[in-house]
Amino acid sequence: MLRTTKLFQRASPLFSTAARRTALQVPRPQQSRPFTLLPGASRLSPFKRTLLYWTLGTTSAATLGYWLMKDELEMLDNEKPPPELQLAANRQHKGYAVVELPDASKERLVVLGSGWGAVSLLKTLEPGLYDVISISPNNYFVFTPLLPSVTVGTVEFRSVMEPIRRILKRTRGRYIEAGAIDVDFEAKMVLVERQGQLMWVPYGRLVVGVGAQSVTHGVNGLEHCHQLKTVSDARSIRQHIMCNFEQAVLPTTSLEEKKRLLTFVVCGGGPTGCEFAAELYDLLVEDLVHYFPETIQNLVDVIIVQSRDHILNAMDSKVSKFAEDTFSRRKMKVITNSRVARITDTSIFYTNKDADGQIIEHEVPQGFVLWSTGLSLTPFTRLICDHLAGAQKNRHAITVDDCLRVKGIPDGSVYALGDCATIEMPRLLEHIQELFDSVEHTSTNEITRDEFEVFIRSTARKYPLAASHLQKLGSHFDDFDTDGNGVMCLGEFKNMLAHV
């Protein structure tokens, strides 16, 4: 009995408080906690917590947007498809059949191409305004900025494609998978061809958005190169890269052959070439490093050959400098002021000048070459320029006015946009007197140094193509002031613009 009493006394402090609360039905006091959307998020670091909330917010917004647009998308998919195109009975033009006009009440709009320019037009065109026909060899639109990622598997090719028929459904338009090979501006017809079948398609308005092709510069051996313009190009590049690595890892492959297979050369330091080189480097250091031996990884060499003195020459100099520094830290070679001479199945030859001005040819063994050296006219756009030879003088694109109308078409019924077109810019030398009079100079008909600097700033804004040259002229006023009187006359002003 005594032992039981002592045990109860020892345990009573543990049970007394709980017993009293149970008897009196007093709720246990709770500690106040700050409100949080996710209770477990408080244990995360501020960065991870911010990233978590940002991910949840964007996912919620995307989900909400999908549900808001779901009905519209379903209605678009369930809408009745457009009628089938038919050939006109007993009608031919220059020996080929002609597609009839089923809806004569609407003006027919024919859009050539399925790239950025053509698709941007189709996505913003008012439905029912025109009888729309899209003609392109590819029945899909490609998000080209992601193509370099497709080449290394970062992005799947299905993620960068959108069916052109789905885009056309909004405008109730029709699609012909074919390529344009000729145009008759007088009869307003376009000749298209697919697998040997040719037919004329009449138009009321024609939009040319067929893009451009890579310029060759007369280099021999381009059949050994890859290009990066289509999904097929990206898939071919991806397969070639992996085949080279698998070939290099074989025990029967010599060390010299391994070095050649793992040397990747990019011809052209533009956006596409630099982006592909960066994606290739990421593939090596983030993916293949986990699966291939280190001896193989150490043999990889990425080389960029650029004809100018720096890469990304169309962008700001700071962007170019940043890219070159980044490639240098990654031990990627950038060879500038060099031109590709020829390419074989195992080597690439390029030339540059030494300190004495002598041209020297260099050979680099290669296992892969990407050709990305700028744009030139496609055969169809060159044909258009030949038909309009009197008005089309540009060698690289179709010249259009500020409304994208092709120069040389009197009624303005033909438009061009995208890479195949260039807007006609006013020529500086044709407006010398106008520019000279625009300077707020004195009645002496001469320009002082201060007036000249004001003119430089205003003209650079009006003629952006000459801006980089004009902005350097402020410190060279004395060089154009040939008589040294401290002012610039009309003749000296003309010499200055001719120099620019």
Side-chain angles (χ1 to χ4, degrees), residues 8-257:
F8 179 77
Q9 290 175 350
R10 291 176 182 177
S12 60
L14 300 176
F15 295 102
S16 59
T17 303
R20 286 196 300 270
R21 285 177 178 166
T22 303
L24 299 176
Q25 297 295 318
V26 178
R28 181 186 298 272
Q30 298 181 356
Q31 296 180 355
S32 60
R33 296 180 179 179
F35 172 77
T36 177
L37 183 63
L38 297 175
S42 59
R43 296 191 296 270
L44 300 175
S45 65
F47 172 76
K48 292 182 178 179
R49 189 162 56 247
T50 302
L51 182 62
L52 175 63
Y53 287 147
W54 180 84
T55 304
L56 289 174
T58 52
T59 305
S60 302
T63 304
L64 178 62
Y66 168 75
W67 284 105
L68 291 176
M69 296 292 294
K70 182 180 179 181
D71 294 338
E72 182 178 348
L73 292 175
E74 289 180 352
M75 181 178 64
L76 184 66
D77 289 338
N78 296 328
E79 191 177 280
K80 185 178 179 181
E84 182 183 3
L85 288 170
Q86 302 290 338
L87 295 179
N90 302 322
R91 185 186 176 189
Q92 286 191 343
H93 182 70
K94 295 183 179 180
Y96 299 109
V98 179
V99 176
E100 68 176 355
L101 300 173
D103 190 357
S105 62
K106 296 179 183 178
E107 187 177 15
R108 172 169 288 189
L109 174 65
V110 175
V111 181
L112 304 180
S114 58
W116 284 94
V119 169
S120 298
L121 169 65
L122 295 174
K123 283 192 171 183
T124 56
L125 193 65
E126 182 180 346
L129 187 61
Y130 294 97
D131 178 22
V132 181
I133 293 182
S134 173
I135 302 174
S136 174
N138 301 317
N139 63 355
Y140 53 85
F141 163 73
V142 181
F143 192 82
T144 49
L146 287 180
L147 277 181
S149 301
V150 177
T151 62
V152 296
T154 306
V155 177
E156 282 298 324
F157 68 91
R158 292 182 297 271
S159 302
V160 302
M161 301 167 62
E162 184 176 0
I164 193 67
R165 291 186 182 274
R166 183 179 178 87
I167 298 173
L168 275 171
K169 195 72 179 290
R170 189 186 137 272
T171 60
R172 304 178 184 89
R174 283 158 292 195
Y175 170 73
I176 299 177
E177 187 176 83
I181 60 175
D182 200 358
V183 59
D184 189 338
F185 294 115
E186 294 183 0
K188 289 192 174 182
M189 291 186 183
V190 178
L191 182 64
V192 300
E193 184 268 339
R194 172 176 169 79
Q195 296 182 352
Q197 301 180 12
L198 291 88
M199 59 184 171
W200 290 96
V201 180
Y203 68 84
R205 294 179 185 270
L206 176 66
V207 177
V208 182
V210 296
Q213 64 182 9
S214 297
V215 61
T216 63
H217 297 295
V219 176
N220 295 324
L222 294 186
E223 63 273 11
H224 305 297
C225 303
H226 288 270
Q227 297 187 18
L228 188 52
K229 283 187 169 297
T230 66
V231 173
S232 299
D233 294 339
R235 298 179 70 177
S236 176
I237 291 173
R238 183 173 175 177
Q239 183 179 10
H240 192 152
I241 292 173
M242 295 311 302
C243 285
N244 280 16
F245 273 92
E246 296 296 348
Q247 179 70 22
V249 81
L250 292 177
T252 54
T253 305
S254 64
L255 179 60
E256 182 179 356
E257 181 67 6

Side-chain angles (χ1 to χ4, degrees), residues 425 428 455-474 500:
M425 298 297 291
L428 211 59
F455 164 77
I456 290 298
R457 289 193 295 269
S458 62
T459 309
R461 290 192 297 267
K462 187 175 181 181
Y463 299 92
L465 292 179
S468 60
H469 302 284
L470 289 168
Q471 292 170 355
K472 298 177 182 179
L473 295 179
V500 172

Side-chain angles (χ1 to χ4, degrees), residues 412-465:
S413 60
V414 182
Y415 304 81
L417 40 73
D419 287 339
C420 69
T422 179
I423 299 178
E424 185 180 36
M425 298 297 291
R427 296 188 178 182
L428 211 59
L429 294 179
E430 294 179 355
H431 304 275
I432 291 178
Q433 187 64 51
E434 178 184 343
L435 291 171
F436 189 81
D437 294 338
S438 67
V439 183
E440 297 181 357
H441 50 71
T442 60
S443 58
T444 58
N445 206 29
E446 294 175 330
I447 302 176
T448 65
R449 187 185 302 273
D450 294 338
E451 294 167 348
F452 179 73
E453 293 178 354
V454 174
F455 164 77
I456 290 298
R457 289 193 295 269
S458 62
T459 309
R461 290 192 297 267
K462 187 175 181 181
Y463 299 92
L465 292 179

